[in-house]
């Protein structure tokens, strides 16, 4: 009969691997949260701009209104200033 007891554990290497994974997940979570906040802020600013445009168009005299026509549908410009890619525009209030 074998009376030698051997303890098998992950040891320091296993701890370091798990600790590294925890740090990586924490950093990724922080980055995701920051990006989501920025996207929400940009969308709110875009909707506010559309509402301002509609209010200004409603207040402007009939002769001063811009002609209603199709808007260009190319790739978007800097940070939320362009039209949606792909052609179909969507109503921000729908």
């Amino acid at each position: 009969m074998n009376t030698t007891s051997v303890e098998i554990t992950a040891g320091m290497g296993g701890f370091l691997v798990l600790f590294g994974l925890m740090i990586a997940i924490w950093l990724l979570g922080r980055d995701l949260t920051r990006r989501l906040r920025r996207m929400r802020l940009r969308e709110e600013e875009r909707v506010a701009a559309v509402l301002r445009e509609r209010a200004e168009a409603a207040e402007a005299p009939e002769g001063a209104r811009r002609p209603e026509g199709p808007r260009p549908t190319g790739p978007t410009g800097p940070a939320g200033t362009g039209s949606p890619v792909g052609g179909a525009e969507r109503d921000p209030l729908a």
Side-chain angles (χ1 to χ4, degrees):
M1 190 167 225
N2 189 359
T3 60
T4 309
S5 86
V6 177
E7 189 176 328
I8 299 174
T9 64
M12 183 58 85
F15 170 76
L16 292 176
V17 168
L18 287 176
F19 188 74
L21 285 172
M22 287 182 351
I23 296 294
I25 289 171
W26 180 70
L27 290 172
L28 287 170
R30 264 186 44 189
D31 184 56
L32 176 66
T33 302
R34 188 174 4 148
R35 288 175 186 267
L36 289 173
R37 284 180 183 160
R38 260 189 271 157
M39 285 175 43
R40 186 184 71 226
L41 178 64
R42 286 181 185 157
E43 179 66 13
E44 288 172 358
E45 289 173 350
R46 188 184 69 80
V47 168
V50 168
L51 291 175
R52 270 194 311 271
E53 270 185 24
R54 288 182 182 179
E56 289 171 0
E59 292 174 0
E62 197 59 40
R65 286 191 180 173
R66 291 185 300 176
E68 294 294 328
R71 292 183 178 172
T73 57
T76 60
T81 59
S83 299
V85 177
E89 288 202 31
R90 84 171 215 255
D91 188 4
L93 302 177

